[in-house]
Amino acid sequence: MPAGVSGELLRTGAGILLFVATFVGMELVAALTHRYVMHGPLWCWHRSHHEPRRGAFERNDLFAVLFAAPSVALVYAALHGHPSLLPVALGTVAYGAVYVVFHDGLVHRRLPMPKPAGRYLRRIVQAHHLHHAVHTRDGAVSFGFLRAPEPRELRRELRRRAARPAGR
């Protein structure tokens, strides 16, 4: 890769916009994957995350390895002949890093972190805890992570779903 090509791209408005768009887009990808894959055909892995953890790891942690692979591939490609991919690569890596800090650190306390301060962080934690109020594949709410829905609305939706007859 020619010296400075990837750094130059990141300093341009297009590179920065692509990085931000990738980071924001990853929240949509994560929410859809969580809802339709993790609470769908791969519930067999994700179920462990909705049950009390036994030990330092859970089967759900395999998703971190699976989801890291595209980021690693993008970084590799960006550094080996495709520098225009660097903003996308860094956007996916940044989202993954923020996700780990928020999800494993702030919410599940698997990393040494201070208690969340501030309304936004507390809402993220509340939304995720409300997601975990359901211990089955179906009926959960709040599948994204960095979007912090109003907890009152999530509780209302949980009650509505619980009142629905089975199979609907």
Side-chain angles (χ1 to χ4, degrees):
M1 167 170 51
V5 170
S6 59
E8 179 103 8
L9 182 62
L10 274 182
R11 285 189 292 275
T12 68
I16 293 168
L17 185 62
L18 193 52
F19 169 85
V20 170
T22 300
F23 184 91
V24 170
M26 286 303 299
E27 175 69 357
L28 178 62
V29 169
L32 292 173
T33 302
H34 188 187
R35 171 65 186 98
Y36 295 105
V37 176
M38 296 166 85
H39 279 257
L42 289 181
W43 175 249
C44 57
W45 284 9
H46 188 59
R47 176 188 296 124
S48 67
H49 188 60
H50 285 260
E51 298 170 344
R53 189 174 52 249
R54 299 177 205 114
F57 297 100
E58 54 194 38
R59 183 174 286 169
N60 185 71
D61 293 335
L62 292 170
F63 284 114
V65 176
L66 183 69
F67 297 155
S71 291
V72 170
L74 281 167
V75 169
Y76 182 86
L79 298 177
H80 292 90
H82 302 282
S84 61
L85 290 175
L86 191 60
V88 174
L90 294 179
T92 62
V93 169
Y95 181 86
V98 168
Y99 180 89
V100 166
V101 168
F102 276 59
H103 181 264
D104 291 331
L106 287 175
V107 174
H108 292 292
R109 316 300 297 158
R110 293 176 74 182
L111 303 172
M113 306 258 328
K115 294 266 186 195
R119 186 170 184 253
Y120 171 71
L121 294 179
R122 285 193 307 270
R123 279 178 62 165
I124 285 177
V125 171
Q126 286 177 309
H128 198 72
H129 283 255
L130 288 167
H131 172 77
H132 281 270
V134 175
H135 300 283
T136 61
R137 176 178 159 165
D138 300 312
V141 295
S142 191
F143 292 92
F145 200 74
L146 297 179
R147 190 177 141 269
E150 179 63 47
R152 187 176 332 121
E153 293 299 319
L154 293 175
R155 284 186 201 95
R156 185 177 301 131
E157 180 62 18
L158 280 170
R159 285 190 299 273
R160 188 184 72 72
R161 290 178 184 199
R164 261 194 319 215
R168 287 181 141 209

